[in-house]
Amino acid sequence: QQEQTATDQQEQTATNQQEQTTTDQQEQTATDQQEQATADQQEQTATDQQEQTATDQQEQTATDQQEQTATDQQEQTATDQQEQTATNQQEQATIDQQEPATDQQEHGTTDQQEQ
């Protein structure tokens, strides 16, 4: 009976150790998987944020460039119009000044012919 009892105890101890080892392994595996999943999520979130930030910056830069180009074109058009108007006014003033002299020349010629 003593021998049988000792054998039974040894077998039970071995079984308990195996079960405990299996349980420990399962728990460790579950913990490892959770930690890996968390790490993966953190990395993915960081990557997503970087990509979104880069996309946002590209879109903002493109928008800024479009707005700046439109503003530049408006300013240039306004400047061109002002310059053209000033040139036109100068040319017209010159023509207006020349017209009385032309009238005098034409009228003077007529007077001479009449005499």
Side-chain angles (χ1 to χ4, degrees), residues 2-106:
Q2 284 177 343
E3 289 177 358
Q4 187 61 49
T5 300
T7 303
D8 290 347
Q9 285 174 340
Q10 287 170 344
E11 288 178 355
Q12 187 61 50
T13 299
T15 302
N16 289 346
Q17 286 173 340
Q18 285 174 342
E19 288 176 354
Q20 188 60 51
T21 299
T22 302
T23 303
D24 289 348
Q25 286 173 340
Q26 287 171 341
E27 288 176 356
Q28 188 60 52
T29 300
T31 302
D32 289 346
Q33 286 173 341
Q34 285 173 342
E35 289 176 353
Q36 188 60 51
T38 302
D40 290 346
Q41 285 173 342
Q42 287 171 340
E43 288 176 0
Q44 188 60 53
T45 300
T47 302
D48 289 347
Q49 286 173 340
Q50 286 172 342
E51 290 176 353
Q52 188 59 53
T53 299
T55 303
D56 290 346
Q57 285 173 339
Q58 287 170 343
E59 289 176 355
Q60 188 59 53
T61 299
T63 303
D64 289 347
Q65 286 173 339
Q66 287 171 342
E67 290 176 354
Q68 189 60 52
T69 300
T71 303
D72 289 346
Q73 286 174 339
Q74 288 170 343
E75 290 176 355
Q76 189 60 52
T77 300
T79 302
D80 290 347
Q81 287 173 340
Q82 287 169 345
E83 290 176 354
Q84 188 61 53
T85 300
T87 303
N88 290 345
Q89 287 173 340
Q90 287 171 344
E91 290 176 353
Q92 189 60 52
T94 302
I95 293 171
D96 290 344
Q97 288 170 345
Q98 289 171 345
E99 280 178 355
T102 305
D103 289 344
Q104 286 174 352
Q105 286 175 346
E106 289 175 355

